[in-house]
Amino acid sequence: MNHETKEILYLRAEEDALPFFQALANKNRLEILRILRQKDASIKELGEQLDLSSAVVTKHVQALEEAGIVRSTTRPGKRGLKKLCSLALNEAQVIFDNNYGNSARSFTEVEIPISAYETCEITAPCGMAGEDRIFGSIDDPRYFGAANRYSVTLLWFTSGYVEYPIPLMDVDLERVEELEISMELCSEHPGFNSSWKSDISFALAGLDLGIWTSPGDFGDRKGRYTPPWWTLGTEYGLLKTLTVNSEGTFMDGIRIGSVTIDDILQRLTGQDRLSLRISADADAMHPGGLNLFGRHFGDYDQNIRVLFYYQEPEKPETSSQQTDRHPVTAISRSRRQVCRTVTSCRNRSFLTPFDMTKAPAENRSLFSGRGLFALLYALSVVAFGHSAVFHVREQ
């Protein structure tokens, strides 16, 4: 396995990935990962929290290191050097389909922090939070316009919108056939309310894509990545995937609108950005606000992910495919040997093109009557068998 530090690890359900799966098949190692998700820790600190000896913890950490899940660095301590452990991965995805690598499409990915919106219109109650504290003051929409909001990883509001610019400089728009946007979000209710519905709408390039109704605002348990200090109710959302392709607009595979990818691309000529607006309208059927989660909050450690999928270029035809399509002009290597034999038709012998140098001078030209007849006959044997007959008129 490749142990290079990565944000995301992709691996197949195959034998060479066994160290990874075996490393996770232990309760103590899962506890180590839970601790390291919160902060880096030394072997001694891990042992104290798990009530295990340093020797046992060291063996567990070694297994996680060999799987590429944890990395360790040596830093000065009070009594010499100490080993500090941290997570080497944010995410790992297991591929079960053996044909995935052959059928996967090429794409360009753009990741947008939830604090990177360009314009907004917010109605209180509202607020924002970073990984370690509340940003600004709760229920004051002015902080949504603060220039130093880059640390925000959770935002919520009762009604309004945020609009993000998606950069297109690295996107080959001429080849784009599908656009996919994923994010974690839910409704907004004071504290939380798992049955509080909210109609959340989406727009791209000024085109209304459709509405998804969030089933609730979730706080019945701690979010997997929500920091321990957070106690204000909402803990996690739902990971939703918005897709726009030639057939329309879909949310998790369910059609929510008729806007196609061509409708979007037509508006991007000469543009270097694509606008994405996420709204919770006050006059919606279910006006329930929204929570939008970024990294270090909720159940999914990700920002807004945008994937531009490309049309694959047409592959050149193989020799066998060419033979099937053009049986006379394209001859496979195995069949060319047939052309080397001297063939006869109607009790009359002819030399093949490969043997023309042995023929009398008057018969060497492929474009002479006999030479052309021999060539066509040889090709007919290769392509059709002996049943085909070519009629050549000699001059």
Side-chain angles (χ1 to χ4, degrees):
M1 291 180 61
N2 186 356
H3 302 313
E4 180 182 353
T5 300
K6 302 177 181 178
E7 287 285 322
I8 302 176
L9 175 67
Y10 298 92
L11 40 84
R12 294 179 181 274
E14 296 178 355
E15 187 174 353
D16 61 355
L18 272 178
F20 183 90
F21 300 122
Q22 290 171 342
L24 297 179
N26 183 282
K27 183 178 179 180
N28 289 324
R29 291 173 197 156
L30 294 178
E31 283 297 305
I32 290 174
L33 298 182
R34 180 187 62 80
I35 295 170
L36 296 181
R37 195 173 67 205
Q38 306 299 330
K39 65 173 184 177
D40 297 351
S42 66
I43 296 293
K44 181 180 179 181
E45 291 169 337
L46 291 171
E48 290 174 350
Q49 294 192 51
L50 297 173
D51 195 22
L52 297 173
S53 67
S54 295
V56 173
V57 171
T58 299
K59 289 184 178 180
H60 286 312
V61 170
Q62 286 176 345
L64 292 170
E65 286 177 328
E66 291 174 0
I69 302 172
V70 167
R71 61 171 175 264
S72 299
T73 56
T74 303
R75 298 184 184 179
K78 293 181 179 180
R79 298 181 181 179
L81 299 177
K82 69 175 181 179
K83 189 175 184 179
L84 196 64
C85 306
S86 61
L87 291 178
L89 298 172
N90 285 329
E91 182 180 344
Q93 295 187 17
V94 181
I95 301 169
F96 291 98
D97 182 1
N98 289 332
N99 294 321
Y100 180 86
N102 297 327
S103 60
R105 294 175 295 173
S106 59
F107 61 87
T108 294
E109 179 176 358
V110 180
E111 182 171 347
I112 306 173
I114 66 166
S115 61
Y117 54 85
E118 190 170 50
T119 60
C120 66
E121 185 176 300
I122 304 299
T123 301
C126 61
M128 295 187 288
E131 186 178 358
D132 55 359
R133 64 174 65 91
I134 294 291
F135 179 80
S137 298
I138 292 178
D139 296 340
D140 189 344
R142 293 179 301 171
Y143 282 97
F144 277 76
N148 62 336
R149 65 178 185 268
Y150 58 86
S151 63
V152 167
T153 55
L154 171 69
L155 61 84
W156 69 94
F157 51 85
T158 301
S159 65
Y161 70 86
V162 284
E163 185 167 302
Y164 296 89
I166 303 173
L168 299 175
M169 287 78 76
D170 297 323
V171 180
D172 186 356
L173 293 176
E174 293 184 357
R175 293 178 52 215
V176 171
E177 67 174 0
E178 185 171 276
L179 174 62
E180 182 179 283
I181 304 173
S182 65
M183 68 196 81
E184 182 178 357
L185 70 172
C186 69
S187 312
E188 162 55 23
H189 186 277
F192 72 92
N193 186 334
S194 298
S195 59
W196 183 254
K197 293 183 178 181
S198 179
D199 292 341
I200 301 174
S201 58
F202 305 88
L204 278 173
L207 294 174
D208 292 330
L209 299 181
I211 297 173
W212 168 69
T213 300
S214 168
D217 180 359
F218 307 107
D220 55 302
R221 61 167 174 80
K222 198 68 181 173
R224 293 188 179 94
Y225 294 96
T226 302
W229 66 265
W230 175 262
T231 58
L232 297 184
T234 305
E235 288 286 340
Y236 63 95
L238 302 175
L239 186 64
K240 308 303 294 183
T241 301
L242 183 69
T243 303
V244 185
N245 55 32
S246 60
E247 298 178 359
T249 303
F250 303 83
M251 180 65 80
D252 293 341
I254 299 175
R255 185 183 178 93
I256 63 171
S258 59
V259 174
T260 66
I261 189 63
D262 287 338
D263 297 330
I264 301 296
L265 295 176
Q266 287 174 5
R267 296 198 168 204
L268 299 183
T269 304
Q271 302 295 315
D272 60 3
R273 60 172 61 186
L274 167 63
S275 64
L276 166 65
R277 176 175 290 198
I278 307 170
S279 309
D281 297 329
D283 59 354
M285 181 179 296
H286 302 102
L290 70 82
N291 279 270
L292 184 58
F293 300 78
R295 288 193 178 277
H296 313 301
F297 257 95
D299 273 358
Y300 302 90
D301 194 26
Q302 71 163 66
N303 292 311
I304 300 173
R305 293 180 63 192
V306 184
L307 298 177
F308 294 88
Y309 287 100
Y310 297 127
Q311 296 176 351
E312 294 300 328
E314 293 186 4
K315 296 181 180 180
E317 292 181 332
T318 63
S319 59
S320 61
Q321 290 173 326
Q322 291 174 341
T323 302
D324 292 339
R325 182 171 296 184
H326 307 291
V328 175
T329 58
I331 309 173
S332 64
R333 180 175 298 178
S334 61
R335 290 183 175 183
R336 284 184 181 141
Q337 304 302 323
V338 179
C339 295
R340 297 186 181 276
T341 62
V342 178
T343 62
S344 63
C345 178
R346 295 182 182 178
N347 300 321
R348 190 171 182 180
S349 296
F350 299 95
L351 291 176
T352 66
F354 300 93
D355 296 324
M356 286 300 292
T357 54
K358 302 177 184 179
E362 65 271 14
N363 291 337
R364 288 180 186 176
S365 172
L366 291 180
F367 297 99
S368 67
R370 295 189 177 188
L372 180 59
F373 190 93
L375 173 61
L376 292 176
Y377 181 79
L379 291 177
S380 71
V381 172
V382 174
F384 306 110
H386 288 277
S387 60
V389 176
F390 288 93
H391 298 278
V392 178
R393 181 180 177 183
E394 292 190 5
Q395 299 295 325

